Each structure stands twice: as structure tokens, then as C-alpha cells.
């Protein structure tokens, strides 16, 4: 958690300021929006560590899985419908869950509830367990008296998120295995096979063909400078991760992912599916459209598309309609824009956005099924090219090895 000082204006136009303990600047903006405050300035304040407090370093921190969160939401929905007091329900789940992290989290949430803090604010102290969307839905459920329904919708949303991740892993499993096999084969050939062939040809004094010379040079370079190659790879991976963690780097990487061949369209479909379904869920719960847009932008999973959605929020605050602001983003298909137009006319935007989310889910599912079919030809060509290079480099000298052995 980080500290942020803010300045803004409330619904009456009065200037307000204060400090928030949240995970990020975007989280601070979302929290202020939920409180009815329009932020003007949000600045991070350097935190001060408590004197004498030991610093805990966890190299491999444990996380709460999606399955555990889904079970938690289902259990809370059942307990709320049964009329069990929320503090008692939280304590019971904290004692019964098998996840140590979730148990500690629920115990802390229970303690905060007993001290008079509401559920959404208590959960906001654990951003690594509960996302912004999760906290926002709980906040809406508390304010509308439909906390059981909020947990039900969250479980459905998390189930869809889990299914999407499983489909992506399933579609990329075969290409990943093939690429791994190719890299291992190249490693073995370069470090063990080529040096043996080179020593044999050198004994017979045979003139090596150009492909073989290239392979031998590559093998010698790998043997002599393997440590340098390892350092370069580690530095590149470390630098990339540092760059992606920055605000500009994350935004730029998400923008480039949408332009990737074959999988770029899939990333876009999944992000828009998340946005439309979460946006519809929050509208159906009674959240104001601008607040719903700000939170759904965070939940889209893509900073570039999220920024376009925030542009929609700004456009609506200036007086534009949802249809016009959505059209200006240039990320929605004509069919989706038509559904939004009908939703505005009939007052059923949430229901029609659910249908839009179903449409994007179907498109993403179709793209996932076609992903392996689209990647297979590329892998076949790549493997054929590698086999051709190895064949030319290894077997061409063998054809002349007999002549070299007889001294011709």
C-alpha cells in the first residue's frame, strides 16, 4: 500500500483534500470517485517505515488462486442469503479455508469490520487478494443492500476469467512445446554434435562447405561465450520486466500486443469482453455510468484499451452520449456500436452489453480454436528451415569425406 495526497471538489463544488492509503494512483482516483469527489491532483507521498519494525522479505510470495476466490464468493453468497452476520461468516471462512494467505486476509478483514470499517474499505487494504473490480462490486452491494447478489456476480465473473485463462493455455500449449523442443535441439547440436564433426573433418584436411563453416563458427562462439550470452539474456529479461512495470512501458507494451500477428486480435477480443461484461455488471448494480467506466477500464487487463475507455468517461462528463464516445475510441466493432445505440434508446444498456460480452466471448473462443491451426504452418516452416540448415551443414561434408579419406 502507498500513501497519496489528493485535492478535489465534492458534489457541491467545495474544495476538499486529504490522504488515502491505496495500491496505486488509479486506485486512489477510483476511490475518490466512489466517494463523490472529483480529483484535481493526486500525488504519492513517500512512506515512512516504523522504527524498529522488522522488514520481511518474501522472495516467493504466496497468492490466492482464482479457484479459491470463486469458492469464497460462492460461500459468502450462500451465507448472506441464509442471514448469517457478515463478521461471523468471515471468521468462519477464515478458519475453514485451506489457503493460508486467504485465511490471514479474512481474519484481518473481520478485525476491521469489528472496528467499524465497512467491508469494501476493509478489503481495499489487501489489493493483492481483492482487485479494484472486486472491491467496487462489494461497495455497490453494500450501498444497495444486495451484498449476496454482488458475491454471486463476482463468482460468475471470476469463473469466466478462469475459463478464459484455461483456453489461452490450452491453445498455446502445443506451440510452446514445439518451440522448446527446437531450442533444445539447437542447443545440443551446437554444443555437442558440431564440435565432433569439426574435429573429424580437420583430421582429414577436408575443406568445409560454407554452411558447415557457419555452423562451426556458431558452435565455437556458443562454447567460448556462453556466459556472455547468458548475461545478455538475463539482462534483457530483467530490463524488459522493469520497463513493463513502469506506467509508460506497460501502456506501450499493451498497445503493441494488440498489433501482434495472429494473437493480437485475440488479446483485443478478451480485453473488450472483460470490459463489456464488467461494465454491464456494474450498471446493473446501480453504479453511475462514469464511475462504472473508470473501474471497468482497470478491469479490462489492457492499459491501452483502458485509456481509451477512460477517454469515454471524460467525453461523457463533457456531455457526449455513450454511443458517440464509444465510436470515438475506434476500438469497438460496428455491431457493438449498434447494440449500444439500441441500449441507449431502450434504457437497457446493461442487458445489451451482456449480449456484446457474449459476442466477444464467442469470437475469442473461435480465435482460440483457430490459434493452433494458424501457428502450425509457421512452426512447420521454421522446423523445416532448421532441419535444412543442419542437413546442409552436417551431411554435405560427409559426401566429400570419402574423397578426403582416400586422398583424392
Amino acid at each position: 500500500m502507498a500513501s497519496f495526497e489528493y485535492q478535489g471538489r465534492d458534489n457541491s463544488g467545495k474544495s476538499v483534500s486529504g490522504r488515502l492509503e491505496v495500491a496505486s494512483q488509479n486506485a486512489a482516483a477510483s476511490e475518490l470517485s466512489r466517494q463523490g469527489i472529483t480529483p484535481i491532483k493526486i500525488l504519492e507521498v513517500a512512506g515512512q517505515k516504523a522504527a524498529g519494525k522488522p522488514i520481511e522479505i518474501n522472495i516467493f510470495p504466496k497468492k490466492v488462486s482464482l479457484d479459491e476466490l470463486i469458492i469464497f464468493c460462492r460461500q459468502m453468497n450462500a451465507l448472506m442469503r441464509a442471514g448469517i452476520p457478515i463478521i461471523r461468516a468471515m471468521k468462519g471462512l477464515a478458519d475453514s479455508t485451506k489457503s493460508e494467505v486467504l485465511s490471514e486476509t479474512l481474519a484481518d478483514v473481520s478485525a476491521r469490520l469489528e472496528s467499524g470499517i465497512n467491508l469494501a474499505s476493509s478489503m481495499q487494504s489487501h489489493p493483492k487478494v481483492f482487485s479494484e473490480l472486486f472491491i467496487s462490486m462489494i461497495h455497490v452491494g453494500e450501498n444497495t443492500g444486495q451484498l449476496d447478489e454482488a458475491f454471486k456476480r463476482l463468482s460468475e465473473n471470476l469463473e469466466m476469467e478462469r475459463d478464459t485463462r484455461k483456453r489461452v493455455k490450452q491453445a498455446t500449449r502445443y506451440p510452446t512445446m514445439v518451440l522448446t523442443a527446437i531450442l533444445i535441439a539447437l542447443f545440443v547440436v551446437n554444443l555437442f554434435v558440431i564440435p565432433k564433426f569439426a574435429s573429424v573433418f580437420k583430421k582429414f584436411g577436408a575443406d568445409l562447405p560454407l554452411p558447415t563453416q557457419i555452423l562451426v563458427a556458431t558452435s565455437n562462439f556458443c562454447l567460448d561465450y556462453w556466459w556472455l550470452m547468458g548475461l545478455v539474456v538475463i539482462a534483457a529479461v530483467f530490463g524488459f520486466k522493469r520497463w513493463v512495470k513502469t506506467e509508460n512501458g506497460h501502456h506501450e507494451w499493451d498497445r503493441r500486443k494488440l498489433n501482434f500477428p495472429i494473437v493480437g486480435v485475440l488479446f483485443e477480443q478478451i480485453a473488450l469482453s472483460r470490459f463489456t461484461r464488467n461494465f454491464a455488471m456494474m450498471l446493473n448494480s446501480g453504479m453511475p455510468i462514469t464511475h462504472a467506466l473508470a473501474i471497468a477500464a482497470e478491469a479490462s487487463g489492457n492499459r491501452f484499451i483502458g485509456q481509451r475507455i477512460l477517454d469515454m468517461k471524460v467525453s461523457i462528463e463533457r456531455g457526449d452520449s455513450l454511443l458517440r464516445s464509444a465510436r470515438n475510441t475506434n476500438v469497438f466493432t460496428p455491431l457493438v456500436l449498434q447494440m449500444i445505440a439500441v441500449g441507449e434508446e431502450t434504457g437497457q444498456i446493461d442487458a445489451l452489453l451482456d449480449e456484446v460480452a457474449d459476442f466477444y466471448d464467442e469470437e475469442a473462443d473461435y480465435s482460440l480454436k483457430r490459434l493452433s491451426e494458424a501457428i502450425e504452418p509457421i512452426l512447420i516452416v521454421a522446423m523445416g528451415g532448421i532441419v535444412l540448415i543442419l542437413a546442409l551443414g552436417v551431411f554435405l561434408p560427409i559426401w566429400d569425406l570419402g574423397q578426403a579419406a582416400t586422398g583424392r
Side-chain angles (χ1 to χ4, degrees):
M1 301 291 288
S3 297
F4 292 88
E5 290 185 349
Y6 67 87
Q7 294 179 0
R9 296 187 180 276
D10 58 16
N11 294 330
S12 62
K14 183 180 178 181
S15 178
V16 294
S17 61
R19 176 177 292 194
L20 289 174
E21 296 285 338
V22 290
S24 64
Q25 192 174 35
N26 290 334
S30 299
E31 175 62 22
L32 291 175
S33 298
R34 282 195 293 268
Q35 296 178 9
I37 299 175
T38 301
I40 298 175
K41 182 186 298 184
I42 301 176
L43 298 176
E44 184 174 2
V45 180
Q48 295 180 354
K49 300 179 180 178
K53 186 177 179 179
I55 300 175
E56 296 182 1
I57 300 176
N58 195 351
I59 301 177
F60 302 104
K62 296 181 180 179
K63 295 182 180 180
V64 179
S65 65
L66 275 179
D67 290 333
E68 291 168 342
L69 282 178
I70 291 171
I71 294 174
F72 164 70
C73 290
R74 287 177 178 176
Q75 291 173 330
M76 285 300 298
N77 172 252
L79 292 170
M80 292 293 97
R81 286 190 288 107
I84 305 298
I86 186 171
I87 297 178
R88 178 182 170 188
M90 284 285 178
K91 286 184 176 180
L93 293 180
D95 295 334
S96 62
T97 182
K98 295 181 180 180
S99 171
E100 181 180 350
V101 177
L102 184 58
S103 177
E104 294 176 355
T105 301
L106 295 182
D108 181 73
V109 170
S110 301
R112 292 174 183 270
L113 288 172
E114 290 178 336
S115 65
I117 303 175
N118 61 22
L119 181 58
S121 299
S122 300
M123 287 183 168
Q124 196 172 26
S125 301
H126 302 276
K128 293 183 179 180
V129 178
F130 304 111
S131 65
E132 277 294 310
L133 174 64
F134 197 108
I135 296 169
S136 300
M137 289 304 303
I138 296 300
H139 180 79
V140 173
E142 284 186 301
N143 290 341
T144 58
Q146 298 179 345
L147 195 56
D148 57 337
E149 186 66 21
F151 278 112
K152 179 182 177 181
R153 288 183 172 272
L154 281 170
S155 67
E156 294 172 350
N157 183 270
L158 292 172
E159 285 175 357
M160 292 179 184
E161 180 76 12
R162 180 188 60 186
D163 293 341
T164 300
R165 292 185 183 183
K166 286 183 177 179
R167 290 200 301 266
V168 172
K169 289 181 180 179
Q170 184 178 2
T172 55
R173 185 178 295 118
Y174 171 73
T176 302
M177 292 176 62
V178 173
L179 290 175
T180 302
I182 292 175
L183 291 176
I184 293 175
L186 288 176
F187 177 80
V188 172
V189 168
N190 267 326
L191 296 184
F192 300 104
V193 178
I194 299 300
K196 298 295 183 183
F197 273 94
S199 61
V200 172
F201 296 141
K202 186 176 181 180
K203 289 180 181 178
F204 286 101
D207 293 331
L208 300 180
L210 179 61
T212 307
Q213 295 179 18
I214 295 175
L215 285 179
V216 171
T218 304
S219 176
N220 291 335
F221 180 82
C222 292
L223 289 172
D224 295 337
Y225 299 101
W226 60 268
W227 55 272
L228 179 61
M229 296 173 62
L231 289 177
V232 170
V233 171
I234 293 173
V237 172
F238 180 76
F240 174 77
K241 288 185 176 181
R242 289 289 301 271
W243 176 67
V244 169
K245 287 183 179 180
T246 63
E247 187 71 23
N248 293 334
H250 198 163
H251 182 276
E252 181 65 19
W253 174 241
D254 283 347
R255 183 188 69 81
R256 293 183 182 181
K257 283 196 298 187
L258 300 178
N259 297 324
F260 284 172
I262 302 177
V263 297
V265 176
L266 176 61
F267 289 144
E268 182 178 6
Q269 291 168 346
I270 292 175
L272 291 177
S273 171
R274 288 173 177 170
F275 159 69
T276 51
R277 192 170 300 281
N278 293 330
F279 186 44
M281 182 170 57
M282 285 180 282
L283 288 180
N284 189 43
S285 301
M287 183 177 291
I289 187 171
T290 52
H291 294 180
L293 281 172
I295 298 168
E298 290 281 337
S300 66
N302 187 288
R303 292 286 182 90
F304 178 74
I305 291 180
Q307 184 59 49
R308 296 295 182 90
I309 296 169
L310 290 178
D311 293 340
M312 288 177 57
K313 172 180 175 292
V314 174
S315 181
I316 291 174
E317 289 174 341
R318 292 174 178 172
D320 285 342
S321 65
L322 179 62
L323 174 63
R324 186 180 302 173
S325 59
R327 184 183 291 117
N328 292 336
T329 61
N330 296 322
V331 296
F332 296 103
T333 62
L335 175 61
V336 175
L337 295 175
Q338 184 178 0
M339 297 288 282
I340 293 176
V342 175
E344 281 192 307
E345 292 178 1
T346 60
Q348 297 180 342
I349 295 179
D350 53 345
L352 290 175
L353 282 178
D354 265 330
E355 296 184 13
V356 170
D358 292 337
F359 165 76
Y360 276 125
D361 284 339
E362 292 175 0
E363 289 293 313
D365 188 54
Y366 178 75
S367 298
L368 284 169
K369 291 178 180 178
R370 294 293 304 273
L371 183 60
S372 297
E373 299 177 7
I375 292 178
E376 281 178 6
I378 300 175
L379 293 176
I380 291 173
V381 172
M383 291 181 66
I386 293 173
V387 171
L388 178 62
I389 293 173
L390 294 177
L392 291 176
V394 174
F395 294 109
L396 275 179
I398 294 179
W399 295 340
D400 299 331
L401 190 58
Q403 293 181 354
T406 56
R408 296 180 185 179

